[in-house]
Amino acid sequence: FSQLDPASWYVTKDGQDGLWWSERDGWAHLYRLGADGQLKNQLTSGPWYVGAIQYVDETSKQIYFTGRGREPDRFWYYAKLYRVNYDGTGLTLLTPDDANHVIDFSPSGKFFTDTYARIETPPVTALRGAPDGRLIRELEKADVSRLAEVGWRPTRVFTAKGRDGI
């Protein structure tokens, strides 16, 4: 998944914590390291992929990051925003819509824009609040009516078996 999300890391202002993206357990997850480089704890785990760190709230000791494939009933490739505490507890999905989410945090970390779409639907941009992802206001919704008038049809999601038969 390195093509979809770059490897991600973050060092706190006091230098006491480093957040590191790694596949050391076979899945892409976040780890917290001390100032000496020693592992303090694994922040995320399981058969899913962490993408990129989006924002770190050093006061609340919470990390916001994208992830893929955690919800079993959702399309694997759609990125979603999550929050987790420095100690690895409190993992929370903040963008529950079954769509791909592109996130941009405000400098204060109190708000973020969430541009989301499915492969077959036009994008919507919304303003959401941290730390819970609550919808504050829909900012924009793409209008594809003129495209539809000239015969454009959205892409369809499909599945196919691989060479291994699965």
Side-chain angles (χ1 to χ4, degrees):
F1 278 70
S2 61
Q3 295 90 352
L4 299 174
D5 287 312
S8 196
W9 58 274
Y10 180 89
V11 176
T12 57
K13 289 178 182 75
D14 64 7
Q16 295 305 302
D17 290 291
L19 307 173
W20 187 257
W21 178 99
S22 175
E23 294 178 332
R24 66 174 57 194
D25 72 353
W27 295 89
H29 285 293
L30 291 176
Y31 296 81
R32 184 169 146 236
L33 309 173
D36 59 0
Q38 295 299 309
L39 179 67
K40 285 187 174 181
N41 60 298
Q42 185 172 351
L43 298 170
T44 59
S45 62
W48 57 283
Y49 285 89
V50 165
I53 295 171
Q54 298 294 317
Y55 184 79
V56 176
D57 184 336
E58 294 187 30
T59 304
S60 298
K61 298 197 178 301
Q62 295 179 320
I63 302 116
Y64 296 82
F65 62 93
T66 54
R68 291 180 161 83
R70 184 169 181 265
E71 285 66 41
D73 59 336
R74 304 294 172 92
F75 189 54
W76 178 266
Y77 293 102
Y78 290 157
K80 301 193 180 331
L81 184 68
Y82 297 87
R83 182 191 72 234
V84 70
N85 297 321
Y86 274 28
D87 64 2
T89 63
L91 180 63
T92 304
L93 173 64
L94 300 177
T95 54
D97 303 285
D98 189 14
N100 187 63
H101 296 264
V102 177
I103 306 299
D104 189 21
F105 268 85
S106 67
S108 71
K110 293 180 180 180
F111 305 98
F112 61 92
T113 56
D114 173 16
T115 301
Y116 61 95
R118 295 175 55 88
I119 200 166
E120 72 277 9
T121 63
V124 174
T125 300
L127 179 64
R128 295 185 180 272
D132 57 6
R134 74 190 178 287
L135 177 65
I136 295 171
R137 173 177 292 152
E138 186 176 288
L139 300 173
E140 185 175 31
K141 185 173 186 174
D143 179 2
V144 296
S145 60
R146 292 182 67 196
L147 286 171
E149 288 173 9
V150 296
W152 175 82
R153 292 189 332 234
T155 303
R156 293 185 324 179
V157 176
F158 70 94
T159 58
K161 289 185 180 183
R163 287 180 13 177
D164 62 0
I166 297 173

